[in-house]
Structure formats: C-alpha cells, structure tokens
Amino acid sequence: MNNLVPPPPTSGKTLMERVEDALLPLINLVFLLLMFFIVAGQISDDPLPELPTSAPGHQEQQPYADLVVTEDGTWQIGSETVVSGRLLNRLPAPNAEQPLKIAAAASISMADLENLFRQLEQGGYTDILLLTEPAS
C-alpha cells in the first residue's frame, strides 16, 4: 500500500538546527534595536541639568502657614502659642479665594486634626490647605 501523504520535506537538519535557524533573524533584530538605542542615546550633546544640592549646614525653609500644629499638639500662629478659645480670633478672616494654610507635624494624630477642623468649620473656614512633613 502506498502512503497518500508525502513525508515532510527536510533538508536533513535536526529539529534543534531548524529551531536555531528560525531564531537567528530574531537575534539579529534585537541586536539592531540595541545598536539603534545606543547610537540614539549618544546623539544628544546637552548635558543633564545639575540637581540642586543642599549644604550640610543648610536647613530647609519652612513653607508659610497661617497655623502650625506642633508634634505635641499645640497650635502656633507665628511664634505665639494659641489656646483653643482664642484660635478663631487670631486667625485671618475666612476668605473664599485664599485657603487657610495649616502646617502639621507628621506625628500628629488624626483625632487632634479632626478636633481642629471642627473648630475651623464652626468659624466659617471652608477651604483648608494642609501642609504635612514627609515621613522619615
């Protein structure tokens, strides 16, 4: 009996040799892309901008805040400590165009901030900008 399906044409190469031959164009393409990006990266003559460095003894300037909440939970306006009853009298009047800026220490609890926000809400402050310290 004769086979109806002819045997697959082979050039006498093993399966591994045929796989290697099929991967060669892919390897060439990856190599050409690598060379392109190396050359394209070298074309720019502009040096990278200098990053700002801080001097070892230079302390960062604190941002301006209308109210500062310290680590121990006290409230300060300028360098003066303010008690709860006089807070609304010492702050600038509520302004729809300018939010009230509050700087809070990173270790302040949410309960302390919630208490402060409730007092400010009763005083008519609707926009508040909260400035915090990054966690270290």
Side-chain angles (χ1 to χ4, degrees):
M1 187 179 236
N2 290 342
N3 286 337
L4 297 176
V5 177
T10 60
S11 59
K13 293 184 178 182
T14 65
L15 177 64
M16 188 54 105
E17 289 173 340
R18 285 184 288 172
V19 168
E20 288 175 357
D21 288 346
L23 284 179
L24 191 61
L26 179 63
I27 293 170
N28 288 339
L29 178 64
V30 169
F31 177 73
L32 288 174
L33 285 172
L34 177 67
M35 294 306 296
F36 170 78
F37 286 115
I38 288 173
V39 171
Q42 298 296 326
I43 290 177
S44 175
D45 289 335
D46 297 336
L48 294 175
E50 291 294 323
L51 297 176
T53 58
S54 60
H58 177 68
Q59 188 169 356
E60 292 183 18
Q61 181 181 2
Q62 297 294 327
Y64 171 75
D66 297 313
L67 175 65
V68 177
V69 182
T70 61
E71 291 178 358
D72 58 354
T74 59
W75 301 333
Q76 293 181 343
I77 297 177
S79 60
E80 180 184 342
T81 301
V82 179
V83 293
S84 178
R86 297 187 54 209
L87 177 65
L88 296 176
N89 296 334
R90 299 281 296 134
L91 288 173
N95 185 354
E97 297 173 7
Q98 183 88 16
L100 181 70
K101 294 180 183 174
I102 300 174
S107 62
I108 196 75
S109 70
M110 190 60 197
D112 291 338
L113 282 177
E114 187 175 349
N115 179 29
L116 173 63
F117 290 157
R118 284 198 174 137
Q119 287 188 20
L120 293 173
E121 185 179 30
Q122 290 172 358
Y125 294 94
T126 57
D127 292 328
I128 296 174
L129 182 62
L130 182 62
L131 309 170
T132 60
E133 296 175 345
S136 54

